[in-house]
């Protein structure tokens, strides 16, 4: 019995590897098997080696029955289980593949899924030449990790396994989750997603508030080879439905009740509060190429009918690495997540923190000010609106102080203006800092800050002066969804008011002859969904056209004008 099974397995492997092209031409599963050979040949070869090993053990009289049955079961589960996919593939082969088809690894799979992929944009059009009216400002070289987000995170776990990856609110307290725990949970959810009707390459819409499980689901999608489409939780049902339709998402994970129109727009609806889990025998995302689409992102300020940005794995990893180079911090630091993870700026900031071996503290969007004191982060990821809210809270606390401290507190913005303009501070600032500003920072949880990032827009001058005078190292990050959230950085230690700062590592910036700010580099998006006009206008000669007026000052500083 065991010998018969082994002989059949050997015939199977010989058929696969003896004449690969003959197998592809004859097999009804050709479109996915060809992709399997193309991306997973190593796994198939391991299987063949295992069959040979078992045959040798059997011939030597060793007991291998259970081992043989386990190998056969796992192989069948990985290849032909779940929902008659084999018949679907055979039907496709018979009806869609021409008689004169010539085998090419991965080609049938590409043809079968091409209609679902973003339309590539011609970024090298000869007649769309870009004329520059400035030097090219170079942010220095950048080494971008190869492969997918899933394989990158595997390396992160290997380096920082037992370190804290997340601080999660539980019963009023923050509890730690290690990188190993995060990876284990994400892989279990990946297995659960693949146990549904979802298949690698499918797009999965996510609609939930930012929290630890959002990041778990994001990583699970990468491990499963799915493409997450992040929906802003504040978006209307109509906007969410439009985005689902535009992206071709076949699944939706949502927190709370799902409107009928949304549920009918997809094939699979899953509860965010009860994500499915299963053992993942195969994680397709580990084999995904870095140039494949990793996520589809929209600008919250743009109408849903505008083209979504198709960001590749290379885009995401380049953005995280650029932040890591520009904002170095050691393992064991803590950064914040209180903004929507649907915003690419918050998502790549999370990746950046993990890349440094740092923890992400998930703070409630409404309670983040009260929770800052509990985590005392080294990296604050914020936007102007958040700093405005924080300003109001600190002003309220200042108002509760005695009249002398209130008087000292009233000078904080003027001190900050002197710092920003390079004039320094008077001697009495040291006393003001010790008696008033330092206690305020401690009470607000801002004492340990190395970086206080502000993205998505410029801070008003009064906020900038206030926080710099308070001793908060505010720096501004310039970028957009189309540049994966990064572009230029105006750091606290060399802050130039009115400037967007210097190009970040891996980024080049220039101004065109019609004064438009241009950006290029590995963080520039891979393409748009299906808006050829937007693509041709926005991506030309490798340059991303921001649509904003660029200015170069007499001292060479870059800024965005009117």
């Amino acid at each position: 019995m065991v010998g018969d099974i082994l002989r059949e397995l050997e015939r199977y492997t010989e058929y696969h590897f003896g004449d690969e092209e003959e197998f592809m031409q004859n097999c009804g599963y050709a479109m996915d098997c060809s992709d399997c050979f193309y991306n997973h040949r190593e796994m198939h070869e391991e299987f063949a080696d295992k069959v040979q090993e078992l045959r040798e053990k059997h011939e030597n009289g060793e007991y291998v029955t259970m081992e043989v049955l386990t190998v056969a079961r796992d192989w069948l589960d990985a290849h032909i289980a779940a929902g008659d996919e084999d018949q679907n593939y055979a039907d496709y082969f018979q009806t869609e593949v021409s008689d004169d088809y010539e085998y090419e690894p991965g080609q049938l799979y590409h043809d079968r899924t091409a209609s679902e992929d973003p339309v590539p944009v011609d970024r090298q059009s000869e007649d769309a030449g870009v004329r520059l009216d400035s030097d090219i400002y170079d942010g220095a070289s950048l080494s971008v990790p190869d492969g997918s987000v899933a394989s990158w995170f595997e390396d992160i776990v290997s380096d920082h396994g037992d370190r804290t990856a997340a601080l999660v609110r539980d019963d009023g307290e923050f509890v730690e989750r290690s990188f190993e725990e995060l990876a284990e949970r994400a892989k279990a959810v990946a297995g659960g997603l693949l146990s549904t009707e979802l298949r690698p390459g499918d797009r999965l819409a996510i609609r939930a508030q930012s929290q630890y499980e959002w990041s778990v689901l994001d990583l699970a999608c990468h491990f499963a080879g799915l493409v997450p489409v992040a929906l802003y939780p504040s978006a209307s049902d109509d906007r969410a439905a439009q985005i689902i339709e535009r992206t071709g998402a076949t699944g939706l994970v949502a927190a709370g009740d799902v409107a009928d129109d949304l549920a009918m727009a997809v094939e699979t609806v899953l509860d965010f509060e009860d994500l499915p889990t299963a053992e993942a025998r195969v994680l397709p995302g580990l084999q995904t190429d870095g140039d494949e689409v990793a996520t589809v992102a929209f600008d919250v300020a743009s109408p849903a009918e505008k083209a979504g940005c198709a960001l590749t794995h290379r885009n995401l990893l380049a953005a995280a690495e650029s932040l890591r180079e520009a904002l170095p911090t050691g393992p064991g630091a803590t950064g914040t997540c209180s903004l929507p993870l649907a915003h690419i700026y918050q998502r790549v900031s999370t990746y950046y923190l993990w890349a440094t071996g740092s923890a992400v503290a998930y703070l409630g969007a409404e309670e983040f000010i009260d929770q800052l004191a509990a985590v005392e982060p080294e990296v604050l990821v914020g936007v102007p609106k958040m700093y405005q809210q924080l300003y109001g809270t600190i002003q309220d606390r200042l108002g509760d102080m005695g009249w002398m401290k209130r008087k000292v507190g009233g000078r904080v913005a003027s001190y900050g203006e002197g710092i920003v303009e390079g004039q320094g501070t008077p001697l009495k600032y040291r006393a003001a800092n010790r008696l008033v500003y330092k206690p305020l920072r401690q009470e607000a949880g801002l004492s340990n800050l190395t970086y206080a990032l502000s993205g998505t827009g410029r801070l008003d001058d009064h906020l900038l002066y206030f926080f710099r005078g308070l001793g908060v190292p505010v720096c501004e990050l310039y970028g957009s969804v189309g540049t994966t959230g990064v572009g230029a950085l105006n750091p606290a230690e060399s802050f130039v008011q009115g400037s967007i700062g210097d190009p970040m590592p891996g980024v080049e910036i220039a101004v065109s002859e019609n004064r438009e700010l241009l950006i290029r580099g590995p963080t520039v998006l891979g393409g748009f969904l299906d808006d050829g006009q937007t693509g041709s206008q926005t991506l030309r000669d490798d340059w991303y056209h921001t649509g904003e007026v660029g200015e170069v000052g007499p001292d060479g500083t870059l800024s965005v004008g009117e």
Side-chain angles (χ1 to χ4, degrees):
M1 174 68 175
V2 172
D4 290 340
I5 293 175
L6 287 169
R7 278 189 289 275
E8 287 300 315
L9 291 176
E10 284 181 330
R11 287 176 56 193
Y12 173 80
T13 55
E14 183 179 355
Y15 182 42
H16 273 63
F17 299 113
D19 190 332
E20 188 175 312
E21 180 170 350
E22 179 185 354
F23 171 74
M24 291 304 166
Q25 292 283 11
N26 295 339
C27 179
Y29 318 140
M31 64 298 305
D32 271 12
C33 283
S34 63
D35 188 64
C36 192
F37 270 105
Y38 190 64
N39 289 324
H40 305 293
R41 171 123 198 171
E42 182 178 345
M43 185 179 69
H44 283 254
E45 291 173 344
E46 289 176 359
F47 173 77
D49 291 341
K50 185 65 176 178
V51 171
Q52 182 178 358
E53 175 191 335
L54 291 172
R55 179 61 181 267
E56 292 174 357
K57 287 183 177 181
H58 179 65
E59 291 177 349
N60 291 332
E62 297 182 42
Y63 177 77
V64 294
T65 302
M66 291 306 299
E67 193 173 0
V68 168
L69 292 176
T70 299
V71 169
R73 181 201 64 192
D74 290 348
W75 188 254
L76 290 171
D77 283 350
H79 280 70
I80 64 174
D84 288 332
E85 285 297 313
D86 52 352
Q87 187 59 48
N88 294 336
Y89 297 157
D91 291 343
Y92 173 89
F93 187 71
Q94 293 173 1
T95 60
E96 301 294 333
V97 179
S98 62
D99 293 337
D100 59 353
Y101 163 73
E102 294 185 4
Y103 169 68
E104 181 180 344
Q107 186 60 48
L108 279 174
Y109 176 82
H110 180 272
D111 292 345
R112 186 164 65 90
T113 58
S115 61
E116 302 170 2
D117 288 339
V119 175
V121 177
D122 179 8
R123 295 164 58 180
Q124 296 292 342
S125 176
E126 293 181 1
D127 58 358
V130 175
R131 296 180 181 273
L132 302 182
D133 193 39
S134 76
D135 293 334
I136 296 176
Y137 293 79
D138 190 346
S141 62
L142 181 71
S143 177
V144 183
D146 293 328
S148 66
V149 172
S151 60
W152 164 82
F153 192 71
E154 285 276 80
D155 292 338
I156 298 296
V157 176
S158 177
D159 291 339
H160 305 290
D162 60 352
R163 285 198 174 98
T164 302
L167 294 173
V168 186
R169 193 80 166 172
D170 185 16
D171 256 350
E173 301 290 336
F174 280 97
V175 297
E176 298 179 353
R177 298 282 186 269
S178 70
F179 282 94
E180 290 173 343
E181 289 174 304
L182 174 55
E184 182 179 356
R185 171 69 177 159
K187 290 177 182 179
V189 173
L193 295 175
L194 292 176
S195 70
T196 69
E197 294 80 6
L198 295 166
R199 293 292 174 267
D202 287 350
R203 291 177 181 151
L204 179 64
I206 304 173
R207 194 186 196 193
Q209 296 288 345
S210 293
Q211 53 191 287
Y212 175 65
E213 281 293 288
W214 206 110
S215 286
V216 167
L217 181 56
D218 179 44
L219 288 172
C221 287
H222 290 308
F223 279 120
L226 302 172
V227 179
V229 178
L231 305 177
Y232 285 87
S234 59
S236 67
D237 289 343
D238 287 344
R239 179 179 172 88
Q242 288 176 327
I243 291 177
I244 287 174
E245 181 181 358
R246 282 186 61 76
T247 58
T250 58
L252 169 66
V253 178
D257 296 333
V258 178
D260 291 341
D261 289 348
L262 284 181
M264 294 176 63
V266 295
E267 300 171 8
T268 303
V269 178
L270 301 173
D271 184 357
F272 182 80
E273 306 297 338
D274 188 24
L275 295 174
T277 59
E279 181 182 356
R281 295 189 179 93
V282 178
L283 294 169
L286 293 175
Q287 304 298 327
T288 301
D289 187 84
D291 290 326
E292 294 186 34
V293 176
T295 190
V296 180
F298 286 78
D299 187 336
V300 67
S302 299
E305 61 269 18
K306 289 288 186 180
C309 295
L311 302 175
T312 66
H313 292 269
R314 178 171 170 79
N315 290 153
L316 296 177
L317 298 182
E321 185 64 17
S322 185
L323 285 166
R324 191 179 73 84
E325 291 284 343
L327 305 169
T329 186
T334 298
T336 64
C337 174
S338 61
L339 307 173
L341 278 160
H343 200 300
I344 202 65
Y345 161 54
Q346 178 68 79
R347 211 178 329 166
V348 298
S349 294
T350 300
Y351 295 164
Y352 144 68
L353 291 166
W354 287 336
T356 65
S358 300
V360 177
Y362 293 84
L363 312 180
E366 301 299 327
E367 307 88 9
F368 81 93
I369 292 178
D370 295 331
Q371 295 175 0
L372 275 174
V375 298
E376 297 185 321
E378 283 81 12
V379 181
L380 181 61
V381 180
V383 293
K385 181 180 178 180
M386 190 199 80
Y387 284 100
Q388 182 68 56
Q389 293 172 318
L390 192 55
Y391 167 82
T393 298
I394 294 174
Q395 284 285 25
D396 289 343
R397 292 172 181 172
L398 185 60
D400 293 334
M401 293 181 172
W403 71 269
M404 180 61 73
K405 290 185 177 181
R406 290 200 306 271
K407 184 177 180 180
V408 172
R411 301 191 185 113
V412 63
S414 62
Y415 290 145
E417 184 175 6
I419 294 171
V420 170
E421 294 181 353
Q423 299 171 1
T425 56
L427 290 176
K428 56 187 177 182
Y429 175 77
R430 297 178 65 180
N433 182 53
R434 178 172 54 84
L435 294 173
V436 181
Y437 307 151
K438 183 177 180 181
L440 283 172
R441 290 199 306 273
Q442 290 174 332
E443 187 178 1
L446 306 176
S447 293
N448 294 338
L449 285 179
T450 304
Y451 308 110
L453 287 174
S454 180
T456 75
R458 285 183 56 187
L459 281 173
D460 289 342
D461 287 346
H462 80 279
L463 291 176
L464 175 63
Y465 297 152
F466 177 85
F467 283 104
R468 289 303 302 275
L470 192 67
V472 176
V474 174
C475 54
E476 291 183 331
L477 179 66
Y478 175 84
S480 66
V481 179
T483 61
T484 322
V486 304
L489 183 69
N490 202 359
E493 64 273 13
S494 57
F495 194 91
V496 178
Q497 193 171 4
S499 171
I500 62 172
D502 296 321
M504 296 179 65
V507 175
E508 292 179 314
I509 297 179
V511 176
S512 72
E513 64 177 355
N514 63 353
R515 296 180 60 212
E516 185 176 14
L517 194 71
L518 310 177
I519 297 177
R520 72 179 177 187
T523 64
V524 171
L525 79 166
F528 293 93
L529 283 178
D530 57 2
D531 192 330
Q533 184 177 5
T534 296
S536 64
Q537 293 174 348
T538 307
L539 293 169
R540 284 184 285 157
D541 286 1
D542 274 342
W543 288 105
Y544 176 80
H545 292 241
T546 65
E548 296 185 283
V549 175
E551 301 282 359
V552 180
D555 56 355
T557 58
L558 290 163
S559 62
V560 176
E562 298 296 334

